[in-house]
Amino acid sequence: MRYDAILFDMDGTVLNTLDDLHDSVNTALRQFHLPERSVDEVRAALGNGSRYLIEHSVPDGTPSALIEQILSFYGPWYTAHSRIKTRPYPGIVELMHRLKGNGLRLAIISNKPDSAVPALAEENFPGLLELAVGEREGIRRKPSPDMIFKAVEGLQLPLSRCLYVGDSEVDLATARAAGIDCVSVTWGFRTSAQLREAGAAVLVDTAEALGNWILSR
């Protein structure tokens, strides 16, 4: 087999977190008397971490000091409300069992705050993951390759034996920065056309198809 480990992005790849993110963003905006955003607007701003999400959810011209206040509210609120509507995408849990049963090691890397990532990973994928890495001090968010390097270091494997799976242009850029193979899934926060435009070489439409692709290498 070509790979020893699979590194999954979290939001839009293994977990459908959109509803909880949308609710939390709008709660933060309401808290500061700002207009709310639609699901599609929040979806378009996902993938680059919490700061990017909030900066692209507030109205143009919002003072930086107010953005900092909103971020300070949003972070703890989302961490406390990140497991209400969030669920694995269809077939993902079965996929992880299948891959692990074939000897592959599994990890998650996410631009979500590290305060939220381990709890979400353990609740939704108990006993399936070796590592779950989120954004924290000293580990830059994607598209920096830091999280991939941290995960690969923790697994004690060469990059050439690892595959990264994501759903966005940020994931593709991260994989390129790290020099790691990447597969893009089409059920997440970006369309197939957007992924192709971002340079995706391999796209899969279902969890089963992803497993087939990985295990056939």
Side-chain angles (χ1 to χ4, degrees):
M1 198 181 305
R2 181 172 178 178
Y3 302 110
D4 293 320
I6 311 300
L7 314 181
F8 293 99
D9 168 57
M10 179 174 271
D11 295 50
T13 300
V14 295
L15 286 182
N16 188 348
T17 56
L18 181 57
D19 287 341
D20 282 334
L21 287 162
H22 178 240
D23 290 349
S24 293
V25 166
N26 280 340
T27 298
L29 293 173
R30 285 196 304 271
Q31 181 74 13
F32 293 90
H33 310 292
L34 296 175
E36 297 182 23
R37 293 295 187 176
S38 69
V39 171
D40 286 342
E41 287 173 325
V42 170
R43 186 203 314 271
L46 294 174
N48 287 280
S50 298
R51 178 173 294 276
Y52 182 97
L53 173 60
I54 295 302
E55 287 176 345
H56 287 75
S57 297
V58 298
D60 291 342
T62 299
S64 58
L66 179 55
I67 291 175
E68 294 302 322
Q69 289 181 300
I70 297 168
L71 271 168
S72 294
F73 175 90
Y74 170 80
W77 179 274
Y78 176 69
T79 296
H81 299 82
S82 61
R83 290 144 50 188
I84 297 172
K85 299 176 182 178
T86 289
R87 299 290 184 274
Y89 282 102
I92 290 296
V93 173
E94 294 82 359
L95 168 67
M96 288 187 177
H97 278 287
R98 181 184 177 193
L99 295 177
K100 190 168 183 179
N102 278 273
L104 286 156
R105 302 167 69 187
L106 310 178
I108 278 178
I109 61 172
S110 173
N111 271 349
K112 297 173 101 52
D114 197 59
S115 58
V117 171
L120 279 169
E122 180 57 28
E123 179 174 322
N124 289 281
F125 313 111
L128 291 169
L129 302 166
E130 292 192 33
L131 291 170
V133 180
E135 182 187 9
R136 62 181 184 267
E137 187 174 353
I139 302 179
R140 294 172 296 173
R141 68 175 182 267
K142 299 177 285 184
S144 163
D146 288 11
M147 291 181 185
I148 286 181
F149 293 155
K150 183 71 173 178
V152 169
E153 177 187 353
L155 294 169
Q156 297 184 316
L157 290 171
L159 275 168
S160 61
R161 299 297 299 172
C162 300
L163 174 72
Y164 181 48
V165 179
D167 74 300
S168 74
E169 73 284 353
V170 177
D171 296 312
L172 288 161
T174 305
R176 283 193 292 270
I180 190 174
D181 291 349
C182 184
V183 171
S184 299
V185 304
T186 62
W187 57 75
F189 298 158
R190 301 292 185 267
T191 65
S192 297
Q194 288 173 317
L195 291 167
R196 289 192 188 94
E197 186 177 347
V202 181
L203 290 88
V204 296
D205 297 328
T206 66
E208 182 180 8
L210 176 57
N212 292 342
W213 190 93
I214 293 169
L215 296 175
S216 68
R217 298 303 101 184

